[in-house]
Amino acid sequence: MTPNAARIMQAVEQTWRPARTWEVGPVRMRAGQGGGQRVSSATTTGSVSEADLQAAEAAFRDADRRPLFQCRDDAPELANLLDRKGYVARDKTVMYVLPIEHLTDRPIPRVTAFTIWEPLAIMDEIWATDDIGPERLAVMHRAPVKTGVLARWNEKPAGAAFVATDDDIAMVHGLVVLPHQRRQGVAEWMMRAASIWGQAQGARWMSVLCVADNAPANALYRALGFEAVGSYHYRVAPA
């Protein structure tokens, strides 16, 4: 059975880990240490009351952080509550999944994409072009089963990505192709290399997250056969 949105979010939690999580009633708090919204936002573990929300907001402010929540679009109760408090919606993100064998049926051309861990310096440099710096690299290091993907094209470095597994799901994060190497099939070969590695770890599914506004990336994943199984967005407290 195709993993649903809840299962994908479980995989996200394991493959892109916050530095710390803790519970404030039915709200799961995260400390991301600068690693971005995904590892710094709060989510719910059950129904939430106004008092529960106020307690979570207090926890954010005790840490000198602006309250930030992640809201799954198939469970609108939290978003509705935050909307009434004036929270601002941003960064809708689509969850994609695909049977992994759909991307392991073609051999990778020689000297095109490699799986490597620890990351090479050139991979850090490529990630840095997309604002993936030391804090997000630290997130990568927290995953227990992981690798990086380095792509070459036209005899030059072309892209970098991170992939990690949670049981039968392999997830790709931080896929970056250098601007002058785009529109040449590099990202597809990177996804295929990630899938071959993931299958070797026992994964049966490949998953990736994509901001809804990123039209080229969404088009790529759909062209590869990925199915959208859900979406989420963030709600940030008014300034």
Side-chain angles (χ1 to χ4, degrees), residues 95-173:
M95 296 178 269
Y96 287 108
V97 69
L98 175 76
I100 204 165
E101 66 269 17
H102 288 198
L103 290 177
T104 60
D105 59 338
R106 295 171 61 187
I108 307 296
R110 185 174 176 272
V111 199
T112 297
F114 314 84
T115 50
I116 301 170
W117 195 265
E118 302 275 335
L120 302 178
I122 186 59
M123 298 168 71
D124 292 350
E125 292 172 16
I126 293 170
W127 278 317
T129 67
D130 198 41
D131 295 326
I132 299 174
E135 296 83 3
R136 284 178 170 83
L137 297 179
V139 176
M140 297 179 189
H141 281 269
R142 294 182 196 124
V145 184
K146 57 187 175 287
T147 194
V149 180
L150 172 65
R152 289 181 58 84
W153 199 253
N154 300 320
E155 300 183 356
K156 299 288 185 180
F162 172 76
V163 56
T165 60
D166 176 44
D167 193 16
D168 62 346
I169 296 177
M171 292 205 74
V172 171
H173 302 274

Side-chain angles (χ1 to χ4, degrees), residues 44-67:
T44 59
T45 58
S47 60
V48 179
S49 68
E50 178 68 31
D52 294 327
L53 184 57
Q54 290 175 355
E57 290 173 321
F60 273 112
R61 295 192 169 102
D62 286 346
D64 197 26
R65 293 168 54 199
R66 190 175 174 185

Side-chain angles (χ1 to χ4, degrees), residues 5 16 20 48 63 99 120 126 187 198 200 218 220 227:
W16 197 253
R20 184 168 72 94
V48 179
L120 302 178
I126 293 170
N218 282 282
L220 166 69
E227 174 188 354

Side-chain angles (χ1 to χ4, degrees), residues 22-28 45 47 52 55:
W22 70 101
E23 311 298 322
V24 176
V27 177
R28 177 165 295 144
T45 58
S47 60
D52 294 327

